[in-house]
């Protein structure tokens, strides 16, 4: 079992930045691929970014060049640095460990981009 707890969401103006954190329980964090997903009202959940156990990253086209995913295996934590935020980035952001089909999910954190 892996328990995931997200933090760092909130209200930010367009063009601003936020850093999301996802702290994982358990001693096997380093073996899991980790991902950030988001779901806006009325829309399907989508992958924002993911990172393999070896550090290879992947991003949705809509966030490339603005968001950065990273992980600190010593702290059992994965981060999502979000810069140049846009209103369309408004969503509940959820952390995942081990993939969308069989993996583990956090409870989510709200990100609202609005002036």
């Amino acid at each position: 079992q892996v328990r995931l707890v997200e933090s760092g969401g909130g209200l930010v103006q367009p063009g601003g930045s936020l850093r999301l954190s996802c702290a994982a329980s358990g001693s096997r964090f380093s073996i899991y691929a980790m991902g950030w997903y988001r779901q806006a009202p009325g829309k399907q959940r989508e992958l924002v970014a993911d990172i393999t156990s070896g550090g290879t990253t992947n991003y949705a086209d809509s966030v490339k060049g603005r968001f950065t995913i990273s992980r600190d295996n010593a702290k059992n934590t994965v981060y999502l640095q979000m810069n140049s935020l846009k209103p369309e980035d408004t969503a509940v952001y959820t952390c995942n460990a081990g993939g969308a089909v069989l993996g583990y999910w956090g409870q989510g954190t709200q990100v609202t981009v609005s002036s």
Side-chain angles (χ1 to χ4, degrees):
Q1 281 281 5
V2 176
R3 182 169 178 261
L4 304 172
V5 180
E6 300 100 333
S7 61
L11 173 65
V12 63
Q13 292 187 342
S17 298
L18 283 175
R19 187 175 83 153
L20 305 183
S21 299
C22 173
S25 65
S27 59
R28 304 184 69 195
F29 171 80
S30 63
I31 73 169
Y32 286 101
M34 300 296 297
W36 285 98
Y37 290 74
R38 68 185 181 187
Q39 187 167 21
K43 294 187 176 181
Q44 288 189 331
R45 183 173 61 196
E46 63 174 350
L47 174 67
V48 176
D50 57 23
I51 183 167
T52 67
S53 58
T56 300
T57 58
N58 173 59
Y59 297 92
D61 288 342
S62 59
V63 307
K64 282 180 181 176
R66 300 188 298 122
F67 291 11
T68 302
I69 189 170
S70 62
R71 65 190 298 160
D72 185 338
N73 290 337
K75 295 182 178 181
N76 280 12
T77 302
V78 63
Y79 304 98
L80 185 67
Q81 178 67 44
M82 305 186 294
N83 298 329
S84 302
L85 282 160
K86 304 175 181 180
E88 52 263 43
D89 294 317
T90 295
V92 175
Y93 286 70
T94 306
C95 178
N96 171 274
V101 176
L102 297 176
Y104 301 92
W105 296 91
Q107 83 287 351
T109 186
Q110 177 70 45
V111 171
T112 302
V113 184
S114 175
S115 54

